[in-house]
Amino acid sequence: MRKFIKNIKTRIIGSTIVEVIVALIICMIIFSISVSIILKSRISNNISLKQKASLVLSNISRNNLDEYVNFNSPEFTLSVDKEENDSIQDVYKVTISVFDSEGKVLGEKILLINNYNDGNTGEKY
């Protein structure tokens, strides 16, 4: 009986290099799976943010542009820029851009508008 217990203790104490390599491979597989899951969740978050920005841009028209001039959202920033048209008088090119918190463009919409009003001062651009 003592020999049997002594044999069990010696087997438990040491492990072979093959067992260590197998354990490392299993750990690497688990780590790579978890990293891919984290990256996919980050990408899907960015996709949902782009969809929200696209929805906001699709709701903007010439008639309700004044409502969106001072639009604020914790997820993204809306920027409204205007350019005067050189060839046609009183026609403005209004560019509406949506940026995320890192400054990347999520979407953009361009409108041509007569006598554009900024909504704040009541003055025409």
Side-chain angles (χ1 to χ4, degrees):
M1 183 70 155
R2 289 184 186 198
K3 275 186 170 182
F4 179 71
I5 294 174
K6 189 175 181 183
N7 284 339
I8 291 176
K9 286 183 179 179
T10 56
R11 285 185 189 175
I12 294 175
I13 292 175
S15 61
T16 64
I17 190 76
V18 175
E19 292 171 341
V20 172
I21 291 174
V22 169
L24 286 174
I25 290 173
I26 292 171
C27 289
M28 287 174 40
I29 291 171
I30 292 171
F31 181 74
S32 63
I33 290 171
S34 63
V35 167
S36 67
I37 289 171
I38 291 170
L39 290 177
K40 284 181 184 178
S41 68
R42 182 168 168 90
I43 289 170
S44 67
N45 185 25
N46 194 18
I47 290 172
S48 66
L49 191 60
K50 283 184 180 182
Q51 288 174 341
K52 288 178 185 177
S54 175
L55 183 63
V56 168
L57 285 175
S58 67
N59 289 333
I60 297 175
S61 67
R62 292 181 198 136
N63 299 331
N64 65 354
L65 183 60
D66 293 335
E67 298 173 16
Y68 290 95
V69 169
N70 295 322
F71 180 81
N72 289 325
S73 170
E75 299 173 325
F76 51 82
T77 305
L78 191 75
S79 169
V80 180
D81 299 319
K82 65 94 188 165
E83 286 181 34
E84 190 171 345
N85 194 336
D86 295 335
S87 60
I88 304 173
Q89 188 177 7
D90 292 334
V91 173
Y92 296 91
K93 176 183 169 185
V94 179
T95 306
I96 304 143
S97 303
V98 180
F99 301 97
D100 66 358
S101 59
E102 297 172 354
K104 295 178 185 175
V105 177
L106 297 175
E108 192 172 69
K109 185 173 188 174
I110 298 173
L111 300 171
L112 292 176
I113 299 180
N114 292 334
N115 298 327
Y116 177 63
N117 182 321
D118 71 351
N120 293 331
T121 60
E123 298 176 7
K124 295 178 183 176
Y125 279 91

